[in-house]
Amino acid sequence: IFDEVDAGVGGAVAETIGRKLKMISVDRQVIAITHLAQIAVFADVQLRVSKSVQGDRTTVAIERLDGRQRSAEIARMLSGAIPTKQATAHADDMLRRARA
């Protein structure tokens, strides 16, 4: 389990971490908590964890992302709450390259 393995890094270093986690996952189970798209694109399974607070009650939801949902989440990670067309295209490209 890697919790915030991306702390203090970005760009090419984050991509290298993502590739190394992918290599580790060949013969081990890897769970990584990340906020960086450069790491998330290498996952076999991507989950989105969201938290909401209503009054004094906090709830957490976990959702498995597939296909377009995954691409949309990577785009959101790249550009913010409302992804741009460029971010969506970049997300698709990153996912494609990570699978190659």
Side-chain angles (χ1 to χ4, degrees):
I1 297 176
F2 297 91
D3 185 8
E4 298 200 34
V5 69
D6 55 10
V9 302
V13 172
E15 183 177 340
T16 298
I17 291 170
R19 289 184 187 285
K20 289 192 179 284
L21 290 172
K22 183 69 171 179
M23 287 184 338
I24 293 169
S25 76
V26 169
D27 59 357
R28 291 176 175 81
Q29 182 178 23
V30 173
I31 299 171
I33 298 141
T34 186
H35 297 98
L36 292 179
Q38 293 91 338
I39 294 174
V41 294
F42 289 99
D44 292 327
V45 174
Q46 184 172 346
L47 306 172
R48 176 176 42 220
V49 179
S50 56
K51 178 175 76 169
S52 65
V53 179
Q54 294 181 0
D56 64 348
R57 186 169 183 95
T58 301
T59 58
V60 175
I62 300 172
E63 177 184 10
R64 182 180 177 143
L65 303 177
D66 292 314
R68 294 306 313 159
Q69 291 176 318
R70 185 160 186 217
S71 178
E73 180 64 9
I74 295 296
R76 187 197 64 76
M77 293 170 83
L78 290 167
S79 69
I82 302 173
T84 63
K85 289 180 184 179
Q86 293 86 353
T88 301
H90 188 198
D92 290 341
D93 183 57
M94 289 175 71
L95 286 163
R96 195 172 25 260
R97 287 187 297 128
R99 286 189 295 266

